[in-house]
Amino acid sequence: IFLIADIALLIFLTGYILLDHFSILDTFNSVESLKNFLLSDNVKNYSILVFFLLQFLQVVILPIPAIITTLAGTALFGAKVTFLISSIAIILASMLAFFLGRTFGYKFVAWLIGEDTLIKYQNYMKSKEKVMVSVMFLFPFFPDDLICMIAGLGKMSYFSFFVITLFIRPISILCTTYSFELTKFIPLTEWWGIVIWGFIIAAMAVIFILFWKNSDRIEKSLVKLVTREKNKSDNE
């Protein structure tokens, strides 16, 4: 376990230092810049593999919002391919980020993201870990890497985190990929399109509030579901 942890940490730090040194991080500051990178001569023959790696690394190393990488992938490969590649990469990366947080502990995560940020998100998750992780996974504006690593610092088991990741992350990815497709039918350049998107955003805000207010009830349901699935797997 310690050998795997050391290798993971070495890859993590080396990758981040190299990306920062060569200013590659500055290249991925928008959907258009990332799309151009994937279409460049050096990358286009391996664009799907590079996209998979970017989706994996943006959870673990790269400080790039998942919405940027996912929308860029949708523009290039379409919603179905992007959804499949993103789901596999992000689920695997989420488990690795959880492992890093669980293995290296509070000081490592605090050094990586800043203690103030760590404390803020820990307060969000306090006593409502499973529900808050699920809610944050549903909405693309929360930072993937922070959520996974901070979850690793808590009491949640690997199995519980895996179940939440397996069921919730694909929902968020699906919504992000197909929201790009929806802009073809509900344009942001027309007043009626702006009104409809406003209603969609408002509905997301309402869902978030309902999740928050009913978090205790939802958490109990999640615990029952996880316990039931775990008992089934143990019996098998």
Side-chain angles (χ1 to χ4, degrees):
I1 293 173
F2 279 111
L3 177 61
I4 294 171
D6 288 339
I7 293 171
L9 181 61
L10 180 62
I11 294 171
F12 179 91
L13 293 175
T14 303
Y16 186 85
I17 291 169
L18 288 173
L19 290 167
D20 186 56
H21 177 74
F22 291 105
S23 300
I24 295 176
L25 296 178
D26 298 331
T27 305
F28 308 140
N29 55 10
S30 69
V31 173
E32 194 61 31
S33 62
L34 181 53
K35 180 181 172 183
N36 291 336
F37 169 76
L38 291 171
L39 288 173
S40 61
D41 292 336
N42 295 330
V43 175
K44 63 182 179 182
N45 292 332
Y46 311 97
S47 57
I48 289 183
L49 175 60
V50 172
F51 177 68
F52 175 89
L53 292 173
L54 284 173
Q55 285 292 63
F56 183 91
L57 293 174
Q58 62 87 11
V59 178
V60 185
I61 299 175
L62 298 178
I64 308 171
I67 192 168
I68 289 180
T69 53
T70 304
L71 289 179
T74 305
L76 287 176
F77 311 117
K80 291 181 180 178
V81 174
T82 299
F83 171 72
L84 180 62
I85 295 172
S86 299
S87 296
I88 296 171
I90 289 174
I91 289 171
L92 291 174
S94 297
M95 294 307 299
L96 175 59
F98 183 88
F99 169 79
L100 290 173
R102 179 61 51 88
T103 304
F104 294 106
Y106 184 92
K107 290 184 178 180
F108 169 74
V109 179
W111 168 77
L112 195 65
I113 67 175
E115 192 161 15
D116 291 340
T117 304
L118 173 55
I119 292 171
K120 180 178 74 173
Y121 277 91
Q122 280 189 318
N123 289 334
Y124 289 159
M125 297 182 190
K126 191 175 182 181
S127 74
K128 300 176 181 179
E129 226 175 18
K130 294 183 178 69
V131 172
M132 290 312 300
V133 169
S134 301
V135 171
M136 289 178 183
F137 278 167
L138 276 175
F139 295 91
F141 42 79
F142 286 105
D144 305 48
D145 51 349
L146 305 194
I147 298 168
C148 298
M149 289 186 186
I150 294 171
L153 298 177
K155 297 179 180 179
M156 194 185 305
S157 67
Y158 276 100
F159 180 79
S160 297
F161 183 78
F162 175 71
V163 170
I164 291 172
T165 303
L166 185 64
F167 285 100
I168 302 297
R169 295 311 290 269
I171 296 173
S172 176
I173 296 165
L174 188 69
C175 292
T176 304
T177 53
Y178 280 92
S179 65
F180 181 84
E181 296 291 314
L182 278 175
T183 57
K184 298 175 183 177
F185 305 100
I186 311 175
L188 289 168
T189 54
E190 302 288 341
W191 68 267
W192 58 270
I194 294 172
V195 171
I196 293 174
W197 280 109
F199 276 115
I200 292 172
I201 293 170
M204 291 176 66
V206 170
I207 292 170
F208 182 85
I209 293 169
L210 289 174
F211 262 106
W212 178 263
K213 287 187 175 181
N214 297 281
S215 57
D216 292 332
R217 188 183 306 170
I218 295 169
E219 183 164 13
K220 288 178 182 177
S221 299
L222 283 172
V223 169
K224 286 181 181 178
L225 175 64
V226 170
T227 304
R228 191 185 307 125
E229 292 300 320
K230 189 175 181 181
N231 289 336
K232 284 182 181 178
S233 62
D234 290 341
N235 292 333
E236 290 174 359

